[in-house]
Amino acid sequence: MAAFHEILFPLDIALGSAGGPERRTEIVALASGREERNARWAHSRRRYDAGYGVKTLAALSEVIAFFEERRGMLHGFRWRDRLDHSSAAPGMDVSALDQTIGVGDGETVTFQLAKTYGGAFAPYSRPIAKPVADSVRVAVYGVERHSGFAADPATGLVTFAEPPPPGDAVTAGFLFDVPVRFDTDYLEVDLSAFAAGAIPKIPLIEIRT
């Protein structure tokens, strides 16, 4: 990914932030009163406001320094979503069986990490490009592998030394971050308002890989 810094936004500030996934849906109203709905995006895009996590002047100064080092919107960075940063169900530990990322064909050695949402009607598979280093666990046909593979924390690609056998499910468990950038080149800081309890606006937006 061009212009990306493999550094995590200050975690204590991120954990107090607000935000979530955004979809782009086009709705066309017909003359009959019915409507047609079309998804403009295949994948959701997450937006956050880090301002809700800034509670002290020290935290505000830390964000400004981080913003300057990223040159505003220029360089991307890692963001930890406190609600959604694990392949496992909430409250559960990561397991090598958490998510199916592919099926062996006897030739393919590289698989993209992914997380599936839903399942009964229209499950959504979200590519995961920024796993946390050393958190990835992998299994083939239900048996965890402790060697013979490598997981790239910069791309989310899992590469095996030997291709998994045909028909064998490849599964993985992992922690992950969201690749984001600042969604502004201007941070407005009003110290008098901040002292009075106002929340500074620090918008972030997911970078699609």
Side-chain angles (χ1 to χ4, degrees):
M1 182 187 300
F4 191 89
H5 292 172
E6 293 288 346
I7 185 172
L8 185 65
F9 186 88
L11 192 56
D12 55 337
I13 300 174
L15 294 180
S17 67
E22 176 187 23
R23 288 277 179 176
R24 183 64 56 85
T25 306
E26 182 180 73
I27 300 178
V28 179
L30 305 178
S32 64
R34 296 181 178 180
E35 64 181 30
E36 292 185 354
R37 298 179 297 278
N38 300 299
R40 300 293 299 275
W41 295 348
H43 297 289
S44 57
R45 192 178 194 185
R46 282 154 175 76
R47 290 181 178 273
Y48 303 97
D49 189 342
Y52 289 91
V54 178
K55 306 298 183 184
T56 66
L57 286 175
L60 184 58
S61 295
E62 187 175 9
V63 169
I64 291 174
F66 193 90
F67 175 85
E68 291 285 28
E69 191 174 6
R70 306 287 85 72
R71 308 300 193 269
M73 297 192 293
L74 183 60
H75 298 293
F77 52 92
R78 287 175 175 261
W79 171 268
R80 185 71 49 83
D81 187 326
R82 65 174 181 172
L83 179 63
D84 189 5
H85 62 269
S86 173
S87 62
M92 303 295 290
D93 293 332
V94 169
S95 161
L97 305 178
D98 286 344
Q99 304 289 328
T100 298
I101 62 172
V103 177
D105 59 8
E107 296 181 1
T108 302
V109 296
T110 301
F111 298 83
Q112 177 69 58
L113 291 178
K115 181 175 180 179
T116 299
Y117 297 79
F121 297 97
Y124 165 61
S125 180
R126 174 188 177 188
I128 300 299
K130 296 296 179 184
V132 175
D134 300 324
S135 75
V136 180
R137 301 174 64 180
V138 173
V140 176
Y141 198 57
V143 179
E144 184 169 3
R145 296 283 185 90
H146 297 287
S147 62
F149 76 93
D152 188 343
T155 63
L157 293 176
V158 174
T159 303
F160 290 90
E162 299 289 339
D168 284 5
V170 181
T171 59
F174 44 85
L175 301 176
F176 63 94
D177 298 319
V178 184
V180 303
R181 63 168 172 79
F182 287 101
D183 198 23
T184 181
D185 267 334
Y186 170 56
L187 287 186
E188 182 177 5
V189 179
D190 185 338
L191 290 181
S192 60
F194 182 76
I199 298 173
K201 187 172 181 60
I202 308 172
L204 309 173
I205 189 168
E206 182 177 6
I207 300 171
R208 289 178 173 167
T209 58

